Amino acid sequence: MNIKIKIGLALLFFVELFYFGLIFLSDLNFQLLNPQGSIARQQRDLGMLVIGILLVVAIPLIGAMYWFAYKYRAGNKKAIYKPDTRHSKFTELVWWLIPAVFIFILAIITWNKTHALDPYKPLESSVPPVRIQAIALNWKWLFLYPDYNIATVNFIQFPQDTPVNFEITADAPMNSFWIPALSGQIYAMSGMSTKLHLIADNTGDYRGQAGEINGRGFSGMKFIARASSREEFENWVGEVRRSLKTLDENEYSTLSKPSENNSVTHYSSYEQNLYNKIMMKYVVPDGEKKMEEM
Amino acid sequence: MEFLFGRLTLGALPHEWFTIGGTVFMTLAMIGVVAFLTRMKLWKWLWHDWLTSIDPKKIGIMYFIVAALMLVRGGLDAGMIWLQQVMGASSGGYLSAQHFQEIFTAHGVIMVFFVTMGFLFGFMNYIIPLQIGARDLASPFLNTLGFWLYVAGAILINMFFVFGGEFAAAGWLSIAPLSGLEYSPGVGMDYWIWSLQISGIGTTLGGINFIMTILKMRAPGMTLMRMPIFTWASLCSMVMVVIVFPLLTATVALLNLDRLLGMHFFTTTAGGNAMMYTNLIWMWGHPEVYILMIPALGVYSEVVATFSGKRLAGYTSTVIALNAIAIISLFVWLHHFFTMGSGANVNAVFGISTMIIAIPTAVQLFNWVFTMRKGRIRFDTPMLWFLGFVFTFSVGGMTGVLLAVPPADFQLHNSLFLVAHFHTMVIGGALFGIFAGFSYWFPKFTGIKLNERLGKYAFWFWIIGFWVSFGPLYILGLMGAPRRLERYDSVTGWQPLFVVSLIGFGIICIGTAFLVAQIIVSIKNRKKYADLTGDPWDGRTLEWSTSSPPPFYNFAVIPEVKNRDAFWEMKKEGKRIKSKYEDFEMPKGTATGIYIAIFAFFFGFAMIWHIFWLAIACALGIVAFIIFRTFYENTEYEMKAAEVEKVERMR
């Protein structure tokens, strides 16, 4: 290779390295690697375990590949050259067995962990859970607190060390509900109610967002999930209850129209049965009307 | 007016800078090409020798040209996406959300359907008949028809630049209900539907044709277990095409019924089921990525064996592994939506079935490792691409297994980690395979060896550029950055990584420039780089036994195959193919494929804009041409032995 090009490549490489270094020094917020809740932590640990097991096979295999590439290079006349080597059936069987054993181990882990970390499974805790119903609208998140009869847009608060039980649906295209620091995501779909359970170990504001592309306002469809002390949470509920806005039928039909980058809104109360009504709208033809008749 | 032009009104014509720019550029390019052809009096040559040719070698080259053009388009899209994401911190940037979403949709569709598929079909057209010792494909007509339908789809997808409207903005798979009439009322989604329908039918026809060819046209003595691995890989891939592409056609047709006639297959209301769309499209979509991957694995097996100067270790294992990958990949589609809430049992089953694919894939790696052992390895460009692929592909494979673990997937799904993963597979796997295959077989295509030095520069820039641009995306994924965001808060700290990623894209562009320069330099100095032997790499399979480029009938005498690596064994025995010529039949060129594709193109166009009279007329045209073609009797002509001898002497 031309020496100039070599120098150029090396320079480029070091510029990159330098830049990467700068980024890492300016502490990156690895939300998936620094989880703030037990669900997200278990998800991370599982991921690390899987990668670890895979590396046990991959490193020797890839290493052998590059070692052989070096050792048996055409320039190395000392290396043995046997163009017609045939491998016995037994050797080939070993090639199949090695990865098979590892995948077998991984399969057992996967089966167990998939059941253990099923997002539908309620979390065990001595504290009673907080229930939140999340509704994906175009393009904002509406949250209902059925136990407190309050509603919010693009903001939720809940106490730390308390299980939070989400029920999730949509009155808009399919979406995905995701708070990376606390737990993985689950889809929000109209006419369906999905469930997600999570718990926050530490107080803080966590970024929540829409995961699945759903149109123009997709990027702006984010919310804040605030984990606070029990006391602050109760105060916050009181504050929301004092809000002048209520989410009645009219207000909901305005809210559910497409809008982008909505700011946080509090509603001191909402129409009873709103969540079911939104669901029923899609479950049966004219579902909304039938719900009213009931 | 509405009857005449449907939805196509003056208001729909291009009026944004990018569409007008596209129109102007395409018109100028068109005028340039037409002027050049007229001036050089090349029209007749173009029509007779290329466009209406049924020679799979020429069709293969035409596939390459179209795919390369589409690669430029897809690459430009990629650059625009990256630039917007760099600028997108705290609501900056130069693209609107709609435009950004159109671009990444187009990028995905073009790269998968028109670039990777195009290149693979190009290789298969050129190489498979040569590898199996055949003079042509089983059905030359289906082949040209498939190719021209692919071209019609490729043009149609770019037509929104000219006729305006908008492009689909719901991601490359247009997941319902976002792609339904309620949320995407414009013509954009219809562009997506019809270019996929038309090119998809072309792909299905190609698949059928290659299966027939491989099963029925092999040279005497070439049993299935003596076939070269690339042919085996293509066979697996084409069987999958025939199994899953009808699924795509049906799914997209149902979506179209929803949109056109107001039906309710995938709508959220009136009993429609949007989840069913996700299921159906991924039942095609996951096998599709393996359709792209498997022929590339075949290319690598050829390259490793040739450049190690050694028999492929574990031929039987490789064949079983390829078949296993093909079959198992039909049963894993649900891993694309673990997050839909199917429940732990379903998720675990599909997670494990996905992991099982890692077994035959690892076996492939073992085969290559042991092929290199005790070989004599030459580091020509194809081998470099292979070695680069091994590392990239292993990382991609490991992240793939990670994504197959449902609880981990809940965090990584829809994140940039996922984006990095599948680009590692498609670029590091399929595209590097295409580059490896291209530099490996280029001497066969042209009789010219490629400039090695430029090829090596291209490789190093590509591999470094790839990791500089996709490494940060893995990191961003771990920071919880979702994909497809055109704007984000600057407090997230994502911007510097997007900057690194964009730099990587720049390096990739330099690599691509070297690839182009390599071809230009080599062709310019074709005397210096000429390869007169037809076998520049000391090859092992039959395609190297004929001259470069091969005569239009491939083999003057059909070789008789006695072993695997047929040509290698022939060379060892020191026997060249005997030259006792016989008469044989060759297919005649035909323009019917082009005519049908033109009708198909206008049919698609008419359906997009709801110009129903034109659609009906075109549909009738297609049917008429197909019936007309079935009455053709003399589609072949006789090639006399004396003529063959004359051609052979002149070479």
Side-chain angles (χ1 to χ4, degrees):
Chain A
M1 219 187 251
N2 188 323
I3 187 77
K4 269 184 205 157
I5 300 271
K6 262 187 189 167
I7 293 170
L9 272 177
L11 261 174
L12 211 68
F13 188 71
F14 282 112
V15 169
E16 277 303 320
L17 216 61
F18 177 70
Y19 197 80
F20 260 115
L22 271 186
I23 291 170
F24 276 94
L25 288 176
S26 68
D27 79 310
L28 287 186
N29 181 7
F30 281 99
Q31 298 204 336
L32 266 47
L33 301 179
N34 295 316
Q36 303 295 318
S38 78
I39 295 292
R41 186 171 330 105
Q42 289 176 59
Q43 285 169 335
R44 177 203 62 185
D45 293 346
L46 176 61
M48 293 294 188
L49 177 69
V50 169
I51 286 290
I53 292 174
L54 288 170
L55 284 175
V56 175
V57 214
I59 290 177
L61 194 57
I62 307 306
M65 174 96 54
Y66 289 109
W67 166 242
F68 287 156
Y70 172 73
K71 187 174 172 196
Y72 296 102
R73 67 193 184 277
N76 183 7
K77 297 292 175 208
K78 272 187 279 176
I80 314 160
Y81 175 49
K82 281 192 179 163
D84 288 320
T85 320
R86 278 170 200 274
H87 295 273
S88 66
K89 287 264 156 9
F90 177 75
T91 341
E92 287 190 36
L93 196 66
V94 173
W95 301 346
W96 283 87
L97 281 178
I98 295 172
V101 167
F102 278 88
I103 293 299
F104 184 71
I105 297 169
L106 282 175
I108 293 173
I109 297 174
T110 303
W111 182 267
N112 291 335
K113 286 292 178 182
T114 306
H115 285 83
L117 289 172
D118 183 1
Y120 276 40
K121 213 168 79 174
L123 302 175
E124 279 166 28
S125 168
S126 51
V127 195
V130 173
R131 289 201 300 149
I132 302 178
Q133 291 168 330
I135 301 153
L137 301 177
N138 259 349
W139 287 277
K140 61 243 142 194
W141 292 96
L142 171 65
F143 298 100
L144 311 176
Y145 285 74
D147 299 332
Y148 300 90
N149 194 30
I150 54 171
T152 55
V153 170
N154 284 351
F155 183 89
I156 41 174
Q157 187 160 347
F158 44 81
Q160 71 181 115
D161 297 323
T162 309
V164 188
N165 298 359
F166 285 99
E167 283 182 288
I168 301 156
T169 192
D171 196 0
M174 204 179 278
N175 208 327
S176 192
F177 177 82
W178 190 16
I179 309 170
L182 298 178
S183 148
Q185 62 201 292
I186 199 97
Y187 279 2
M189 298 174 284
S190 31
M192 297 284 292
S193 186
T194 47
K195 289 179 191 169
L196 185 70
H197 297 87
L198 55 80
I199 191 164
D201 295 349
N202 306 314
T203 56
D205 280 4
Y206 305 115
R207 181 169 48 82
Q209 64 208 7
E212 184 94 351
I213 178 81
N214 62 342
R216 210 156 25 97
F218 171 62
S219 295
M221 194 170 163
K222 49 202 172 198
F223 60 94
I224 293 167
R226 178 173 293 168
S228 63
S229 65
R230 171 66 68 172
E231 199 187 350
E232 278 172 53
F233 172 69
E234 300 291 350
N235 289 342
W236 174 77
V237 170
E239 195 187 307
V240 176
R241 278 191 174 140
R242 284 193 295 278
S243 162
L244 295 176
K245 280 190 167 176
T246 56
L247 190 62
D248 54 19
E249 202 174 325
N250 281 335
E251 182 67 22
Y252 179 75
S253 71
T254 323
L255 183 68
S256 61
K257 291 209 173 71
S259 59
E260 292 175 53
N261 298 315
N262 293 58
S263 49
V264 175
T265 317
H266 293 164
Y267 297 102
S268 55
S269 70
Y270 65 86
E271 194 198 348
Q272 277 307 307
N273 244 339
L274 181 60
Y275 187 83
N276 285 346
K277 240 171 121 175
I278 292 168
M279 290 261 300
M280 289 309 279
K281 202 164 119 181
Y282 294 100
V283 174
V284 282
D286 301 321
E288 234 167 342
K289 268 186 218 151
K290 278 185 191 152
M291 273 298 286
E292 273 164 29
E293 283 160 22
M294 277 159 73
Chain B
M1 280 305 267
E2 210 187 312
F3 173 75
L4 264 185
F5 294 110
R7 286 195 278 181
L8 184 58
T9 57
L10 276 178
L13 291 177
H15 51 268
E16 278 173 86
W17 63 267
F18 57 97
T19 37
I20 292 176
T23 315
V24 171
F25 174 76
M26 284 206 276
T27 320
L28 286 180
M30 197 84 96
I31 292 172
V33 170
V34 169
F36 177 77
L37 289 172
T38 314
R39 182 134 176 262
M40 307 294 280
K41 300 206 170 75
L42 289 174
W43 281 107
K44 215 169 168 190
W45 166 80
L46 185 70
W47 181 257
H48 272 279
D49 284 16
W50 288 91
L51 301 185
T52 62
S53 168
I54 39 70
D55 183 352
K57 295 184 288 300
K58 285 188 174 158
I59 291 178
I61 302 279
M62 289 195 285
Y63 263 116
F64 287 140
I65 293 170
V66 179
L69 287 175
M70 295 303 272
L71 180 65
V72 174
R73 162 83 210 275
L76 281 176
D77 287 341
M80 288 176 82
I81 296 169
W82 255 310
L83 192 60
Q84 168 62 35
Q85 287 189 319
V86 166
M87 294 161 75
S90 51
S91 65
Y94 68 108
L95 291 177
S96 68
Q98 169 77 21
H99 190 184
F100 180 80
Q101 291 167 358
E102 284 175 11
I103 291 175
F104 70 65
T105 304
H107 170 76
V109 176
I110 285 173
M111 286 303 198
V112 170
F113 284 93
F114 297 106
V115 177
T116 324
M117 290 296 271
F119 277 123
L120 289 176
F121 268 93
F123 281 125
M124 282 188 254
N125 263 291
Y126 207 107
I127 299 302
I128 285 181
L130 287 168
Q131 281 199 332
I132 63 175
R135 291 203 169 100
D136 203 346
L137 295 184
S139 170
F141 171 67
L142 273 192
N143 193 31
T144 121
L145 180 57
F147 169 71
W148 285 107
L149 288 175
Y150 158 82
V151 175
I155 298 176
L156 196 58
I157 208 168
N158 284 301
M159 269 301 117
F160 96 101
F161 280 113
V162 180
F163 291 103
E166 49 172 20
F167 192 67
W172 77 287
L173 283 183
S174 297
I175 295 294
L178 183 58
S179 55
L181 203 54
E182 191 184 351
Y183 299 112
S184 304
V187 291
M189 198 51 66
D190 299 302
Y191 273 114
W192 182 88
I193 287 175
W194 286 105
S195 30
L196 252 62
Q197 286 296 55
I198 292 170
S199 70
I201 287 171
T203 308
T204 314
L205 294 179
I208 296 168
N209 201 1
F210 280 110
I211 295 174
M212 288 196 293
T213 307
I214 296 172
L215 292 181
K216 303 301 277 185
M217 309 271 290
R218 277 166 290 136
M222 181 171 281
T223 57
L224 281 177
M225 290 309 275
R226 285 180 190 166
M227 288 199 313
I229 290 295
F230 175 70
T231 304
W232 253 116
S234 303
L235 179 63
C236 294
S237 170
M238 291 300 108
V239 169
M240 288 169 76
V241 162
V242 173
I243 294 174
V244 299
F245 262 76
L247 242 168
L248 171 74
T249 307
T251 312
V252 176
L254 292 181
L255 178 66
N256 191 38
L257 286 176
D258 275 7
R259 294 179 57 82
L260 194 66
L261 302 177
M263 292 189 179
H264 291 279
F265 290 104
F266 305 127
T267 56
T268 47
T269 51
N273 190 342
M275 289 183 289
M276 189 55 82
Y277 182 88
T278 313
N279 258 291
L280 287 171
I281 202 80
W282 278 118
M283 277 166 95
W284 160 81
H286 190 82
E288 164 68 11
V289 294
Y290 279 83
I291 289 168
L292 304 177
M293 234 4 267
I294 292 177
L297 294 177
V299 173
Y300 294 123
S301 290
E302 302 279 342
V303 167
V304 176
T306 305
F307 290 92
S308 303
K310 191 162 165 283
R311 181 194 305 278
L312 182 73
Y315 176 93
T316 320
S317 283
T318 308
V319 171
I320 297 173
L322 287 171
N323 280 285
I325 295 173
I327 292 165
I328 303 168
S329 74
L330 296 171
F331 302 98
V332 300
W333 76 91
L334 196 126
H335 68 214
H336 292 275
F337 44 96
F338 286 143
T339 47
M340 206 175 245
S342 318
N345 284 341
V346 174
N347 280 354
V349 165
F350 277 91
I352 292 168
S353 73
T354 308
M355 289 177 182
I356 291 174
I357 295 190
I359 302 174
T361 317
V363 169
Q364 290 269 294
L365 284 173
F366 273 103
N367 291 336
W368 294 326
V369 169
F370 283 92
T371 307
M372 285 158 69
R373 188 163 169 267
K374 296 185 184 169
R376 182 149 290 172
I377 301 162
R378 288 165 285 151
F379 294 99
D380 295 292
T381 343
M383 194 65 186
L384 282 188
W385 286 112
F386 166 74
L387 290 171
F389 147 82
V390 169
F391 175 71
T392 317
F393 187 72
S394 310
V395 175
M398 283 191 286
T399 52
V401 174
L402 177 63
L403 283 161
V405 182
D409 178 75
F410 285 127
Q411 276 287 24
L412 299 171
H413 185 62
N414 273 331
S415 74
L416 283 171
F417 189 91
L418 175 83
V419 173
H421 160 72
F422 70 70
H423 280 91
T424 314
M425 297 314 254
V426 179
I427 295 180
L431 196 65
F432 283 11
I434 287 164
F435 290 152
F438 191 75
S439 44
Y440 178 52
W441 280 310
F442 189 83
K444 185 46 62 185
F445 300 157
T446 55
I448 305 167
K449 280 182 87 169
L450 281 169
N451 180 314
E452 276 290 314
R453 178 196 278 200
L454 288 171
K456 282 177 181 163
Y457 291 163
F459 166 74
W460 285 110
F461 274 97
W462 256 93
I463 187 99
I464 293 172
F466 175 81
W467 280 108
V468 174
S469 55
F470 288 95
L473 293 195
Y474 277 115
I475 298 171
L476 280 165
L478 293 176
M479 293 167 72
R483 66 199 288 208
R484 295 169 170 174
L485 285 187
E486 87 282 359
R487 281 174 181 85
Y488 48 90
D489 293 329
S490 47
V491 289
T492 49
W494 297 339
Q495 197 183 22
L497 287 157
F498 278 122
V499 173
V500 178
S501 194
L502 183 66
I503 295 171
F505 176 68
I507 303 175
I508 290 179
C509 287
I510 299 173
T512 315
F514 274 119
L515 278 178
V516 176
Q518 182 195 24
I519 296 171
I520 294 172
V521 168
S522 309
I523 292 180
K524 253 192 168 164
N525 304 321
R526 54 188 165 278
K527 290 247 164 58
K528 186 176 153 202
Y529 293 111
D531 164 55
L532 301 173
T533 59
D535 179 25
W537 309 118
D538 196 8
R540 316 179 63 81
T541 40
L542 282 181
E543 76 265 32
W544 303 108
S545 70
T546 174
S547 57
S548 301
F552 62 95
Y553 45 74
N554 287 357
F555 300 95
V557 177
I558 295 290
E560 206 158 309
V561 178
K562 299 200 190 75
N563 318 72
R564 278 174 207 160
D565 291 340
F567 183 49
W568 177 262
E569 300 292 336
M570 283 177 198
K571 280 192 285 191
K572 247 181 24 187
E573 284 172 24
K575 264 190 283 181
R576 298 298 291 201
I577 301 161
K578 61 177 190 306
S579 51
K580 167 96 176 52
Y581 302 125
E582 278 167 14
D583 298 353
F584 53 83
E585 299 206 315
M586 289 300 291
K588 281 183 193 165
T590 171
T592 318
I594 300 187
Y595 297 139
I596 293 179
I598 290 174
F599 276 119
F601 171 81
F602 282 105
F603 176 76
F605 175 78
M607 292 303 285
I608 291 168
W609 291 102
H610 294 179
I611 310 172
F612 296 115
W613 62 267
L614 182 60
I616 294 168
C618 290
L620 288 177
I622 295 173
V623 174
F625 260 105
I626 291 173
I627 294 173
F628 177 64
R629 171 76 196 180
T630 56
F631 283 100
Y632 253 48
E633 279 185 354
N634 47 353
T635 55
E636 296 190 329
Y637 66 97
E638 181 125 21
M639 191 75 190
K640 293 277 179 222
E643 238 176 298
V644 177
E645 203 173 342
K646 218 166 76 188
V647 177
E648 288 291 305
R649 276 231 190 90
M650 270 162 55
R651 304 184 69 82

